[in-house]
Amino acid sequence: MSEHHHHHRHHKKDSSSIFKEKSLKRIKTRKKVEKFIKRALFVFAILMGLAVIIAYTIG
C-alpha cells in the first residue's frame, strides 16, 4: 500500500504514460492531416484536369 502512495515513483510512471499518449495522439493527427492533404491534392488535380479540358473545349 505504501509502495502505491510513494509519490516519486508514481510521478515517473505518469510522465512516461503522458508522453506516450502525446506521441500517439501526434502520430494519429499527423496521419489524419496526411490523409486530408492527399485528398485535397487529389481533388485539386481533378479540378485542374477539368479546368484544362474546359479551357481546351472553349479555346
Side-chain angles (χ1 to χ4, degrees), residues 7-24:
H7 201 74
H8 197 72
R9 188 171 283 185
H10 196 70
H11 186 72
K12 262 189 177 175
K13 244 183 199 172
D14 276 0
S15 60
S16 65
S17 63
I18 285 165
F19 178 74
K20 275 182 185 175
E21 270 182 34
K22 274 185 180 177
S23 57
L24 275 174

Side-chain angles (χ1 to χ4, degrees), residues 50-59:
L50 285 171
V52 166
I53 290 163
I54 290 164
Y56 270 114
T57 48
I58 288 167

